[in-house]
Amino acid sequence: QLQLQESGPGLVKPSETLSLTCTVSGGSISSSSYYWVWIRQPPGKGLEWIGSIYYSGSTYYNPSLKSRVTISVDTSKNQFSLKLSSVTAADTTVYYCARQYRQLGHPIDYWGQGTLVTVSS
Amino acid sequence: SYELTQPPSVSVSPGQTASITCSGDKLGDKDACWYQQKPGQSPVLVIYQDNKRPSGIPERFSGSNSGHTATLTISGTQAMDEADYYCQAWDSSTVFGGGTKLTVL
């Protein structure tokens, strides 16, 4: 059974860089069938796609966040990571990592439990 | 950028059929997915490729997609189906609808 686990600081100061890592277990991040994605959800609000990465390192970002986002992958550790720079209070949300099919309409079939990141001084 | 629109809320009586819509430009030409999210939990995929159910999803969940609207239908709705539901499509990137709160009362 595939599992994804987010890790990283739960508190980040304004203007600093948020860094999260997703560890994948029970399956290989190097599969050609999937993207690995970051999604966020402000408390009580809807889902927002942040970006995706393929195991080769190809990345795709939400245009509204593109200038601040970097997603990377470490296949040796079966991990992928998110960096979001110049954070503000608006970036206080639950961050999910997940697996997304590259075909079949691109459904997201496995999600991490999510981690709340608060931006505050 | 591509947008998907959902009604904020839908109410249904237990045992009745609930329908949740998702609208987008020529959405019928794309594949639609649906997710169920209960409070404090991660979303769960309930429908993909318009009308396919992942393993473990009850048969009462079904989907359709035509024209500009995709629809998630829950037949014989149960109290446990009360949740937020999100549609999703792919338009060169992943796009989510704003979500619909399903109330079973």
Side-chain angles (χ1 to χ4, degrees):
Chain A
Q1 178 81 347
L2 191 80
Q3 292 187 318
L4 299 98
Q5 179 67 57
E6 306 89 352
S7 60
L11 180 64
V12 181
K13 290 182 169 55
S15 79
E16 296 190 344
T17 296
L18 177 161
S19 296
L20 295 174
T21 295
C22 182
T23 300
V24 179
S25 58
S28 174
I29 204 168
S30 299
S31 170
S32 62
S33 299
Y34 306 105
Y35 294 120
W36 304 93
V37 305
W38 288 99
I39 293 159
R40 69 181 187 177
Q41 184 175 35
K45 296 189 177 181
L47 301 168
E48 180 181 31
W49 173 72
I50 299 171
S52 307
I53 192 164
Y54 189 51
Y55 78 94
S56 64
S58 298
T59 52
Y60 313 87
Y61 298 137
N62 186 325
S64 68
L65 297 169
K66 186 174 183 177
S67 63
R68 299 195 291 131
V69 172
T70 302
I71 298 176
S72 59
V73 64
D74 186 336
T75 55
S76 67
K77 295 182 179 179
N78 230 33
Q79 295 177 333
F80 62 107
S81 299
L82 168 70
K83 291 189 185 300
L84 181 66
S85 64
S86 305
V87 297
T88 69
D91 296 311
T92 294
T93 84
V94 174
Y95 288 80
Y96 294 100
C97 62
R99 185 182 85 168
Q100 182 174 33
Y101 273 93
R102 293 182 67 222
Q103 298 177 337
L104 305 179
H106 306 277
I108 299 167
D109 61 342
Y110 283 95
W111 298 67
Q113 65 182 25
T115 186
L116 174 63
V117 177
T118 300
V119 178
S120 175
S121 56
Chain B
S1 61
Y2 195 75
E3 294 184 358
L4 295 172
T5 302
Q6 299 180 234
S9 62
V10 168
S11 297
V12 64
S13 299
Q16 299 303 302
T17 296
S19 295
I20 300 173
T21 59
C22 174
S23 299
D25 186 43
K26 298 180 182 178
L27 180 56
D29 292 342
K30 309 178 191 301
D31 289 322
C33 308
W34 290 92
Y35 302 89
Q36 176 194 69
Q37 186 180 33
K38 297 181 179 180
Q41 298 183 17
S42 303
V44 173
L45 179 69
V46 295
I47 293 288
Y48 69 100
Q49 272 193 309
D50 298 338
N51 54 22
K52 295 180 172 58
R53 280 179 292 104
S55 174
I57 301 302
E59 291 185 6
R60 64 179 182 274
F61 288 87
S62 63
S64 63
N65 185 15
S66 180
H68 301 288
T69 304
T71 302
L72 173 69
T73 302
I74 309 173
S75 304
T77 307
Q78 300 181 10
M80 69 171 64
D81 300 328
E82 186 164 288
D84 293 326
Y85 290 85
Y86 295 90
C87 60
Q88 177 237 313
W90 174 271
D91 184 67
S92 301
S93 64
T94 297
V95 181
F96 290 103
T100 298
K101 181 176 181 58
L102 177 67
T103 301
V104 182
L105 42 69

